[in-house]
Amino acid sequence: MESQKLKRPQHKGSPRLFKNPVLERLTHTHISAPLIIFFSIAAVLIYYGIFEKGFAVLEMVLLFLAGLFFFTLVEYLMHRYLYHIPATTERRKKISYTMHGVPHDYPKDKSRLAMPPVLSLFIASVLFIIYRSLLGDLVFGFLAGFLVGYAAYLSIHYSVHAFKVPNNSLKILWHHHAIHHYRESDRAFGVSSPLWDHIFETMPRKTPVERQKGSLN
Ligand SMILES: [Zn+2]
Ligand SMILES: [Zn+2]
């Protein structure tokens, strides 16, 4: 809260998204809500996979890691192609703005960096149905990893916006995302890691920060 006052004026406050006060309220959420929901569901899925479906612990660990890894790809693709959907129609403009324009225009609005509980539950249910039909019982470990990846992404994104740059190796993530928000919105889409930016060649162009340190790669 206090830190908001110190920031640049254009990042103050928060735009209203819905006329309906209930819907509007739902767009402001504490960061812990989706984290608790995703971690709880993941725990239940793992428990169920091992004790009801008879998976070995090692199998669950491997499925979990596969789901986690797959999430990082989905995170990249969603951010690059859905959040940054070209606003060619009014409808698309609205989608892009609601999903991503708000965080871009008001990156310091902490309550909007989290996800409403109803939406978290809805996403988890839809993912369960999709992955269940594709993977059968493998869904239990896989979706658990995917949801933990999602929770990790949400907490990393929140931390990058809410806290100061840390003085350790994590600062790479702070700089990476700051470049995306403030300098090159067509680069640096990865939030939880720059891995897919390397693979799909969307790493930031040469910036003063990089030049200072010499070439990073
Ligand atoms: Zn973006
Ligand atoms: Zn951001």
Side-chain angles (χ1 to χ4, degrees):
M1 277 286 194
E2 308 83 63
S3 67
Q4 273 187 350
K5 287 181 196 142
L6 304 170
K7 303 298 169 190
R8 284 170 263 183
Q10 68 265 36
H11 297 134
K12 262 194 193 171
S14 177
R16 195 179 173 98
L17 283 184
F18 294 101
K19 282 200 186 99
N20 182 316
V22 178
L23 284 179
E24 177 63 16
R25 179 74 194 83
L26 283 176
T27 67
H28 293 276
T29 310
H30 192 265
I31 179 67
S32 62
L35 303 186
I36 292 168
I37 291 171
F38 286 152
F39 276 113
S40 310
I41 298 175
V44 172
L45 289 168
I46 290 169
Y47 179 90
Y48 200 84
I50 292 174
F51 294 102
E52 297 292 327
K53 293 288 176 180
F55 280 97
V57 172
L58 182 62
E59 288 171 331
M60 285 302 270
V61 170
L62 292 175
L63 284 168
F64 182 92
L65 292 176
L68 192 69
F69 185 68
F70 184 64
F71 174 80
T72 63
L73 175 62
V74 172
E75 176 209 309
Y76 177 89
L77 295 175
M78 291 274 292
H79 186 188
R80 182 168 174 187
Y81 295 107
L82 189 64
Y83 290 11
H84 288 266
I85 190 171
T88 46
T89 63
E90 274 308 306
R91 203 180 130 74
R92 282 182 159 209
K93 228 185 231 170
K94 175 85 179 158
I95 293 175
S96 161
Y97 184 75
T98 307
M99 299 200 46
H100 202 43
V102 176
H104 267 199
D105 293 349
Y106 298 83
K108 299 294 173 192
D109 179 6
K110 291 177 196 166
S111 70
R112 280 265 173 70
L113 292 167
M115 183 192 287
V118 190
L119 186 58
S120 315
L121 284 171
F122 177 75
I123 289 173
S125 313
V126 170
L127 288 172
F128 184 82
I129 294 166
I130 295 172
Y131 291 154
R132 178 90 211 236
S133 68
L134 295 171
L135 303 170
D137 283 347
L138 300 182
V139 69
F140 294 102
F142 189 85
L143 184 55
F146 192 92
L147 291 179
V148 166
Y150 206 149
Y153 156 78
L154 291 173
S155 23
I156 291 169
H157 192 231
Y158 180 84
S159 307
V160 165
H161 285 290
F163 305 127
K164 285 206 189 95
V165 184
N167 202 8
N168 56 38
S169 56
L170 282 173
K171 69 177 167 212
I172 291 171
L173 295 179
W174 263 250
H175 288 142
H176 198 65
H177 197 58
I179 288 168
H180 175 73
H181 270 293
Y182 299 111
R183 213 174 293 154
E184 300 177 89
S185 60
D186 61 334
R187 296 286 170 118
F189 296 102
V191 172
S192 54
S193 90
L195 172 71
W196 298 102
D197 283 309
H198 279 292
I199 293 174
F200 293 118
E201 298 183 334
T202 51
M203 283 300 281
R205 299 165 187 95
K206 288 286 172 211
T207 65
V209 180
E210 273 182 318
R211 262 180 255 130
Q212 223 173 43
K213 288 194 222 159
S215 181
L216 274 179
N217 302 305

